[in-house]
Amino acid sequence: MPRHSLPEPEAVPSLPFPGWESVSRLPIRDNGERLVPMSLAPPPLKVFPAYARLGIPGAVPECFVREGVYKALLAAARALPKGLGLVVLDGWRPWRVQQYLFDTLHEAIHLHHPDLGEEQLLERTREFVSLPSRDPTAPSPHLTGGAVDVTLCDADGLPLDMGTLFDEALPASHSDHFERLASLSLTQRSARDNRRLLHSVMTRQGFTNLPSEWWHYDLGDQLWAHYGGHAEAFYGPAELDTIENRWRRQLG
C-alpha cells in the first residue's frame, strides 16, 4: 500500500489474554520456510537486536524470522507514513534466552510480591514471557521464527514514544492501555496514536498482536492461529542453519 494512502489508524482493540492451554492444542503443519536475517532488509526497516545489545546469555546479534514474516514486515514498514520506520527488536529466540527471560522475570516478581502463590506467580510471569518450550506441538512463539517484537522510529532512527519501553512488565505495556483511560495528556495521546499506527500497519499485513505487549506480533505460529481464528499454525520450532547442520545433511 502506498504510504500516502494509509487510512487513519483505528483504536487498538481490547482482547483477552491468551488461554495458553487452548493455544498449545492448535495443530501445527510447518511449511518448511527458512529463517532469514532481518539485517538484509532495506530501509525503512531497521534492526536492533535488543537482547544481544543487553548482553543476555545466548542471545544472537541478529534478528532472524521466517521468510514469510520477513516479507510481511517489509510490507508493513513500506506502508508507514513518509519519514517513519519500523524497528525489529527480536525475532527467532534461542530456547536458552527464553528460559533466561522467564526465570529472571519470575524471580523479580517473586521478590516484589513474596505473598503470591506459585500459580499466581506463574500467571503474572506468563503475562509478559511465555513458558520456555521446545515441544514440537507447543513451542514458545519466538522459537518458531513467527513471533516478532517491533517498534516505530522517526527519520533519524530514534524510537517513537510508545508509552513504555520495550519489555517493561507493567500494565501500561498492555496494547490497549491508553484506549481504556478516561482522559489523556498530550504525551499519552501521542503514545496512543503511535500504538494505533503500529497496530494498523502490522495487522494489515496479517499479523496478530499479543494483548499484554504492544510490541509483540505473530504470524504463522499458534498465537497467530489463536487470535486470527485459523484452524492450524504453519510455523513450528525452527533452528538456525549452522555449518554443522549442513555437513550432517550433506554427509548423512
Side-chain angles (χ1 to χ4, degrees), residues 50-61 93-104:
Y51 293 132
R53 301 296 176 90
L54 288 169
I56 290 180
V60 294
R93 185 183 296 168
W95 181 85
R96 177 186 175 192
V97 175
Q98 188 70 28
Q99 186 71 62
Y100 177 91
L101 294 172
F102 186 88
D103 291 345
T104 302

Side-chain angles (χ1 to χ4, degrees), residues 41-234:
L45 202 147
K46 297 179 180 293
V47 179
F48 184 84
Y51 293 132
R53 301 296 176 90
L54 288 169
I56 290 180
V60 294
E62 175 61 275
C63 292
F64 291 93
V65 296
R66 297 287 190 124
E67 190 168 353
V69 177
Y70 176 101
K71 293 177 180 178
L73 285 170
L74 192 52
R78 287 170 171 163
L80 287 167
K82 187 175 181 179
L84 297 183
L86 186 69
V87 184
V88 180
L89 301 166
D90 192 37
W92 176 83
R93 185 183 296 168
W95 181 85
R96 177 186 175 192
V97 175
Q98 188 70 28
Q99 186 71 62
Y100 177 91
L101 294 172
F102 186 88
D103 291 345
T104 302
L105 181 57
H106 187 277
E107 182 179 344
I109 295 173
H110 178 61
L111 183 65
H112 285 84
H113 303 280
D115 55 318
L116 290 179
E118 184 54 40
E119 186 175 340
Q120 292 175 300
L121 189 55
L122 179 61
E123 182 179 350
R124 288 284 298 275
T125 305
R126 294 183 77 176
E127 183 179 342
F128 293 101
V129 180
S130 65
L131 197 66
S133 172
R134 288 179 284 195
D135 184 343
T137 67
S140 302
H142 277 281
L143 190 64
T144 70
V148 290
D149 296 329
V150 292
T151 191
L152 299 174
C153 69
D154 65 17
D156 294 326
L158 296 174
L160 299 190
D161 179 16
M162 307 299 284
T164 69
L165 298 176
F166 163 60
D167 251 5
E168 279 198 270
L170 301 170
S173 291
H174 297 173
S175 302
D176 68 346
H177 173 73
F178 295 113
E179 307 289 353
R180 293 184 285 105
L181 297 183
S183 61
L184 299 173
S185 67
L186 288 177
T187 300
Q188 290 172 326
R189 182 171 286 111
S190 176
R192 181 204 64 185
D193 291 347
N194 290 337
R195 291 190 188 189
R196 286 181 176 183
L197 178 59
L198 178 63
H199 188 272
S200 175
V201 297
M202 293 294 287
T203 56
R204 285 177 181 275
Q205 297 304 324
F207 290 93
T208 59
N209 172 242
L210 180 62
S212 57
E213 300 176 349
W214 60 258
W215 56 83
H216 181 110
Y217 286 84
D218 297 275
L219 182 65
D221 60 13
Q222 286 173 310
L223 267 180
W224 166 84
H226 173 76
Y227 281 111
H230 305 285
E232 61 185 18
F234 51 83

